[in-house]
């Protein structure tokens, strides 16, 4: 039985693996991967998650749309969301946070940063 | 008159004798008191026993003990300082190892992904993802060497149109020189670098052992990536090696698949 269920929504398998590898250092974490926003929503409907990490630029449904849909759904709105993206501009960050993201991580990937943000949102000391 | 004088002398004599007697009595009293105190002192010394120290000796002993404890305290403080210094060293080393571990994990995933397919286009896509996600480049080109014409041509680009990148001759310009020498090139001043397709910000040879099959030319970094960290230079070289092998294998596989298909077609033509 895992302590934390984490959903990674990202179209690049390499990125998914990089994020998953960083998160696996948290004891008791179980990771579920989704290819895009629609796949992410499908997985959200079938099980409970403690944290969502999502990319912005994805086919079919992008990350910002996913954030907005999750925040407007009473069943999921309490789940913390972290946006991971190449967009480093302040306005992109503000937009994501305004839509309801809890944190914003820019690429290139830094495993320690992902780990710190995830631990903070999962309230792991 | 004479009688008066004699009487005076006599009374003075009497007074002197009285005073002398009192002095003698007082002296005897003092001697007795002295004797009594000596006796009392002896009694006290006896009651304390032979091992007990006198107050002066006790003070001396306690002073020595305090000095010993002070020295011990100083030694403990020195040891604490030493342990704290060691602790800081360990903390710094721990962070270094954490970083190393993260880099190795990233490298493992990158190489695993690169060698997970034999499809040429997929390999190029994976290289692109790795360069964006791990290196933090925004505009770059993957250029391969055509060994027949000795020219380097872009086979994949990110952030730039592929048609914008001209081809470069082996040994000519920065790109050609990197492909010929197999040595990395980094622009001297990243901050003031202006995009020039013939002079990339970073140019890394794609090498299989000493055989260069192409180069990776970077023209722009992501806006949040201000500069390269020391580890990036190592990552470049290691990733370039894996990328080269993956490109080479996938091309070889595609060629053999094509040849197989041609031979199969030829056999079919002869037998059917």
């Amino acid at each position: 039985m895992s302590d934390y269920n984490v959903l990674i929504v990202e179209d690049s398998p390499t990125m998914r693996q990089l994020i998953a590898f960083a998160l696996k250092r948290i004891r008791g974490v179980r990771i579920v991967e989704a290819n895009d926003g629609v796949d992410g929503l499908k997985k959200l409907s079938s099980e409970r998650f403690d944290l969502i990490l999502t990319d912005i630029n994805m086919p079919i449904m992008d990350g910002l749309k996913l954030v907005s849909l999750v925040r407007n759904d009473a069943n999921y709105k309490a789940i913390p969301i972290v946006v991971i993206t190449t967009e480093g501009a302040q306005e992109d960050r503000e937009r994501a946070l305004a839509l309801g993201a809890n944190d914003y991580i820019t690429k290139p990937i830094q495993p320690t940063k992902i780990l710190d943000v995830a631990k903070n949102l999962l309230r792991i000391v | 008159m004479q009688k008066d004088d004699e009487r005076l002398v006599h009374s003075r004599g009497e007074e002197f004798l009285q005073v002398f007697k009192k002095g003698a009595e007082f002296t005897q009293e003092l001697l007795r008191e002295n004797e009594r105190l000596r006796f009392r002192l002896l009694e006290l010394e006896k009651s304390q026993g032979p091992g007990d120290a006198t107050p002066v000796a006790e003070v001396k002993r306690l002073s020595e003990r305090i000095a010993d404890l002070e020295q011990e305290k100083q030694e403990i403080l020195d040891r604490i300082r030493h342990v704290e210094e060691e602790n800081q060293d360990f903390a710094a080393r721990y962070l270094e190892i954490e970083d190393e571990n993260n880099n190795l994990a990233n490298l493992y995933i990158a190489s695993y992904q690169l060698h997970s397919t034999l499809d040429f286009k997929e390999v190029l896509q994976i290289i692109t993802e790795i360069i964006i996600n791990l290196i933090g480049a925004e505009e770059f080109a993957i250029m391969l060497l055509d060994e027949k014409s000795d020219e380097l041509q872009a086979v994949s680009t990110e952030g730039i149109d592929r048609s914008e990148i001209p081809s470069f001759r082996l040994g000519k310009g920065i790109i050609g020189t990197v492909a010929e020498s197999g040595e990395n090139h980094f622009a001297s001043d990243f901050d003031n670098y202006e995009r020039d397709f013939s002079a990339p910000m970073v140019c890394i040879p794609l090498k299989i052992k000493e055989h260069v099959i192409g180069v990776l030319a970077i023209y722009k970094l992501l806006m949040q990536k201000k500069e390269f960290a020391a580890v990036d230079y190592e990552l470049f070289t290691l990733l370039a090696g894996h990328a080269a092998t993956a490109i080479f294998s996938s091309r070889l596989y595609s060629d053999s698949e094509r040849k197989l298909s041609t031979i199969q077609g030829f056999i079919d033509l002869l037998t059917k």
Side-chain angles (χ1 to χ4, degrees):
Chain A
M1 179 75 186
S2 56
D3 300 327
Y4 309 102
N5 251 6
V6 179
L7 177 66
I8 301 172
V9 188
E10 165 67 68
D11 59 328
S12 154
T14 311
M15 260 301 282
R16 284 205 302 269
Q17 274 215 331
L18 288 168
I19 299 168
F21 215 92
L23 291 174
K24 274 178 189 164
R25 289 168 67 180
I26 299 173
R27 190 185 290 267
V29 77
R30 179 177 162 268
I31 291 159
V32 175
E33 298 179 17
N35 299 319
D36 56 64
V38 172
D39 193 20
L41 280 178
K42 208 184 289 173
K43 297 209 161 124
L44 268 170
S45 65
S46 58
E47 56 187 309
R48 181 196 64 84
F49 287 99
D50 302 293
L51 178 66
I52 300 170
L53 291 105
T54 181
D55 186 16
I56 289 185
N57 299 316
M58 287 182 291
I60 308 173
M61 184 196 285
D62 70 22
L64 293 179
K65 181 75 182 164
L66 175 71
V67 172
S68 143
L69 288 173
V70 168
R71 282 291 168 261
N72 289 316
D73 190 318
N75 294 319
Y76 316 132
K77 69 177 180 187
I79 305 173
I81 306 174
V82 181
V83 166
I84 302 181
T85 178
T86 50
E87 314 298 333
Q90 187 60 24
E91 55 264 36
D92 292 311
R93 182 189 180 88
E94 280 164 9
R95 195 170 156 221
L97 296 176
L99 280 170
N102 296 70
D103 215 321
Y104 190 91
I105 297 174
T106 52
K107 294 173 186 176
I109 284 293
Q110 290 168 297
T112 44
K113 176 78 179 160
I114 294 176
L115 208 57
D116 288 347
V117 169
K119 278 185 175 175
N120 182 35
L121 291 172
L122 291 170
R123 298 174 195 283
I124 299 169
V125 185
Chain B
M1 188 74 177
Q2 198 178 354
K3 272 186 180 178
D4 286 346
D5 286 344
E6 278 175 7
R7 207 175 294 131
L8 188 65
V9 167
H10 184 74
S11 83
R12 287 271 175 95
E14 280 292 318
E15 270 178 32
F16 174 76
L17 276 173
Q18 286 295 323
V19 169
F20 184 78
K21 268 184 191 171
K22 278 183 182 172
E25 279 172 13
F26 183 67
T27 307
Q28 277 174 347
E29 255 179 55
L30 277 176
L31 284 169
R32 274 198 302 275
E33 185 61 20
N34 188 21
E35 194 60 30
R36 194 182 64 79
L37 287 170
R38 276 171 183 271
F39 180 71
R40 180 75 187 132
L41 184 66
L42 277 172
E43 271 185 342
L44 281 169
E45 278 179 359
K46 271 182 193 169
S47 69
Q48 281 176 350
D52 290 348
T54 60
V56 175
E58 181 66 7
V59 168
K60 193 183 169 194
R61 191 181 67 80
L62 288 172
S63 299
E64 282 170 2
R65 180 78 184 124
I66 288 168
D68 286 349
L69 289 171
E70 283 284 332
Q71 195 183 341
E72 207 175 315
K73 183 185 126 191
Q74 195 54 48
E75 280 171 11
I76 290 168
L77 285 173
D78 288 346
R79 273 171 61 192
I80 289 171
R81 205 173 299 119
H82 182 68
V83 169
E84 274 175 0
E85 279 170 12
E86 261 186 354
N87 195 25
Q88 279 179 348
D89 283 349
F90 282 131
R93 185 76 190 116
Y94 175 77
L95 287 177
E96 277 175 28
I97 290 169
E98 276 277 289
D99 276 350
E100 249 169 72
N101 185 34
N102 289 331
N103 292 329
L104 284 172
N106 287 350
L107 189 67
Y108 164 75
I109 293 164
S111 56
Y112 177 83
Q113 289 290 328
L114 281 170
H115 299 298
S116 66
T117 180
L118 283 168
D119 184 89
F120 180 63
K121 278 188 181 169
E122 221 173 305
V123 168
L124 291 179
Q125 180 59 34
I126 292 167
I127 294 173
T128 303
E129 282 176 11
I130 290 167
I131 296 168
I132 298 169
N133 296 323
L134 280 185
I135 306 291
E138 191 174 339
E139 291 178 359
F140 57 88
I142 302 165
M143 306 182 83
L144 293 183
L145 178 68
D146 182 342
E147 292 189 351
K148 285 178 190 158
S149 62
D150 268 355
E151 278 198 342
L152 289 141
Q153 283 169 340
V155 289
S156 177
T157 55
E158 178 70 26
I160 320 159
D161 200 293
R162 188 144 68 102
S163 59
E164 285 185 78
I165 313 272
S167 58
F168 297 97
R169 281 202 71 77
L170 187 68
K172 301 281 178 197
I174 289 174
I175 291 175
T177 307
V178 167
E180 192 177 55
S181 66
E183 299 291 330
N184 298 345
H185 162 83
F186 293 94
S188 51
D189 185 4
F190 283 170
D191 293 336
N192 298 317
Y193 174 80
E194 282 182 24
R195 194 174 75 179
D196 176 355
F197 291 130
S198 61
M201 177 188 264
V202 177
C203 191
I204 308 291
L206 297 169
K207 283 195 292 189
I208 301 170
K209 288 195 175 174
E210 293 311 308
H211 181 66
V212 178
I213 64 156
V215 297
L216 167 64
I218 295 176
Y219 297 104
K220 191 181 173 189
L221 299 176
L222 292 169
M223 69 182 296
Q224 62 271 21
K225 176 97 178 181
K226 302 288 179 205
E227 58 184 0
F228 287 121
V231 70
D232 287 333
Y233 296 100
E234 288 172 45
L235 262 176
F236 268 134
T237 313
L238 292 165
L239 285 174
H242 282 286
T245 317
I247 288 172
F248 188 77
S249 311
S250 62
R251 278 180 114 187
L252 213 61
Y253 183 76
S254 302
D255 286 350
S256 62
E257 280 285 289
R258 203 170 46 244
K259 279 177 191 164
L260 182 69
S261 162
T262 311
I263 292 166
Q264 191 64 52
F266 190 64
I267 291 169
D268 286 349
L269 197 69
L270 287 174
T271 55
K272 283 177 187 172

